[in-house]
Amino acid sequence: MLILGIDPGSRKSGYGLIDFDQKNFRYIDSGVIHYDSKKEIIVRLKEIYETSLELVNKFKPDEIAFESLILVKSPTSLMKLAQARGAIISACHKNPNQKVFEYSPNLIKSSVSGHGHADKTSIEKMLSLTLEQRKFSTYDESHALAIASCHAMNRNRVIASGKGKSARSNGMASSLSHKIKESHL
């Protein structure tokens, strides 16, 4: 099953694609899409929509996962993020059969690292151990892979309960404790 995780933004968006066979994760691709930040957001939304549609058409994922909208300090930034996220989600729903999910930031961090308030470095380290992807160009890229990984670990609970935000996970950290110990030796 191909799972696409997207970390949306109004200036750039991260994406991460993994293959999940109900037991194992395999890294397929990841990166960052940069949008022309010199353009006004109302114009940039078309670019965001079109590049997102291209991404979905290129990879043809079985399921797509997002992080739920988070509160940011600036209301203007929040509005731009919400609009960009809406454009990306609309592109994902161009195919009426596309399955789209969302997860809280704490669940994503907890699923990947075992701690809901883990920092970005901890998330990247766990992803490197799990997906054998050692270098990430930006945190947007690694976060998108974390979102995809979270969905892989929680998708059965979400589908069964219909609630993405309430699913709990033991996370990668508990299942990879032997690898974590080895990396500290």
Side-chain angles (χ1 to χ4, degrees), residues 21 77 154:
D21 67 3
S77 296
N154 293 286

Side-chain angles (χ1 to χ4, degrees), residues 2-15:
L2 289 179
I3 299 173
L4 179 64
I6 299 177
D7 183 21
S10 63
R11 288 187 251 171
K12 60 183 176 178
S13 293
Y15 68 90

Side-chain angles (χ1 to χ4, degrees), residues 35-46:
Y35 311 118
D36 187 350
S37 60
K38 292 177 184 172
K39 293 180 182 176
E40 291 294 321
I41 186 66
I42 197 73
V43 176
R44 203 176 327 144
L45 289 171
K46 181 178 185 223

Side-chain angles (χ1 to χ4, degrees), residues 32-116:
V32 178
I33 301 168
H34 295 272
Y35 311 118
D36 187 350
S37 60
K38 292 177 184 172
K39 293 180 182 176
E40 291 294 321
I41 186 66
I42 197 73
V43 176
R44 203 176 327 144
L45 289 171
K46 181 178 185 223
E47 177 186 7
I48 292 169
Y49 174 85
E50 289 172 349
T51 56
S52 300
L53 190 57
E54 288 171 13
L55 185 71
V56 171
N57 288 337
K58 175 182 175 183
F59 291 124
K60 298 184 182 0
D62 297 299
E63 297 178 349
I64 302 172
F66 288 87
E67 179 177 66
S68 58
L69 199 56
I70 57 170
L71 186 62
V72 295
K73 292 178 183 176
S74 164
T76 303
S77 296
L78 179 61
M79 288 187 293
K80 289 178 182 178
L81 176 59
Q83 290 174 327
R85 189 173 180 271
I88 296 168
I89 292 172
S90 294
C92 293
H93 281 298
K94 181 80 172 175
N95 172 354
N97 298 319
Q98 183 66 63
K99 295 177 184 173
V100 179
F101 301 84
E102 74 172 356
Y103 296 91
S104 72
N106 287 349
L107 182 60
I108 293 165
K109 292 174 185 176
S110 177
S111 296
V112 174
S113 72
H115 188 272

Side-chain angles (χ1 to χ4, degrees), residues 81-153:
L81 176 59
Q83 290 174 327
R85 189 173 180 271
I88 296 168
I89 292 172
S90 294
C92 293
H93 281 298
K94 181 80 172 175
N95 172 354
N97 298 319
Q98 183 66 63
K99 295 177 184 173
V100 179
F101 301 84
E102 74 172 356
Y103 296 91
S104 72
N106 287 349
L107 182 60
I108 293 165
K109 292 174 185 176
S110 177
S111 296
V112 174
S113 72
H115 188 272
H117 297 285
D119 64 12
K120 294 175 182 185
T121 305
S122 300
I123 300 297
E124 284 191 349
K125 185 169 187 164
M126 287 307 300
L127 288 170
S128 293
L129 290 169
T130 308
L131 301 174
E132 299 176 7
Q133 168 72 6
R134 301 285 179 206
K135 299 280 183 186
F136 301 100
S137 61
T138 68
Y139 288 124
D140 301 295
E141 177 185 7
S142 61
H143 197 67
L145 283 166
I147 294 166
S149 299
C150 171
H151 177 62
M153 288 182 277

